[in-house]
Amino acid sequence: QVQLVESGGGLVQPGGSLRLTCAASGFTLEGYTMGWFRQAPGKEREAISCISSRDGTLHYADSVKGRFTISRDNAKNTVYLQMNNLKPEDAAVYHCAADGILFRQCVLSPDRFEYWGQGTQVTVSS
């Protein structure tokens, strides 16, 4: 059974940093594109970042480019999202997701992802 579990969310002041972790079980994420998405109350789900398995290609949404960094540790079956210089508008529930097709390039679209975690809450407030 595929399972993705996010952790690392919390309350942080504007300008602060958090590192989100997505631990995968039930499958080996090494061959799959992984992504991070977020959803704030009353807003649509937003694609944040993805990382391809084959060549490590990275994509970021313009809203987080230069502040967020996605990475993966295949040995630990884990994906990370380092978030720096957080802003109030970054507050949301953050979800990680896994593509269900091997070696497909990452595309920042929810339709490309088959497996989803339950999410971790990020709050940015002074």
Side-chain angles (χ1 to χ4, degrees):
Q1 179 181 357
V2 174
Q3 192 171 14
L4 301 173
V5 179
E6 304 93 337
S7 61
L11 171 64
V12 63
Q13 292 185 343
S17 298
L18 285 173
R19 187 175 82 154
L20 305 185
T21 298
C22 173
S25 61
F27 81 111
T28 301
L29 61 77
E30 184 172 1
Y32 298 92
T33 285
M34 300 295 295
W36 284 96
F37 297 76
R38 69 185 181 189
Q39 188 163 20
K43 294 187 177 181
E44 292 187 358
R45 182 169 49 189
E46 179 185 10
I48 296 302
S49 181
C50 61
I51 180 168
S52 297
S53 63
R54 186 182 291 273
D55 58 7
T57 299
L58 310 177
H59 289 300
Y60 295 96
D62 288 342
S63 58
V64 305
K65 202 170 291 183
R67 300 187 297 122
F68 290 12
T69 303
I70 190 172
S71 61
R72 62 195 297 158
D73 186 336
N74 292 331
K76 295 184 178 180
N77 225 32
T78 299
V79 179
Y80 305 97
L81 185 68
Q82 177 67 43
M83 307 187 296
N84 297 329
N85 190 21
L86 283 160
K87 304 175 181 181
E89 53 264 41
D90 293 320
V93 176
Y94 283 70
H95 300 267
C96 74
D99 192 338
I101 298 178
L102 275 171
F103 304 126
R104 192 160 61 164
Q105 281 291 341
C106 80
V107 173
L108 281 176
S109 170
D111 295 342
R112 298 277 286 200
F113 294 85
E114 181 172 348
Y115 304 105
W116 295 81
Q118 290 298 308
T120 184
Q121 177 72 51
V122 171
T123 303
V124 185
S125 175
S126 55

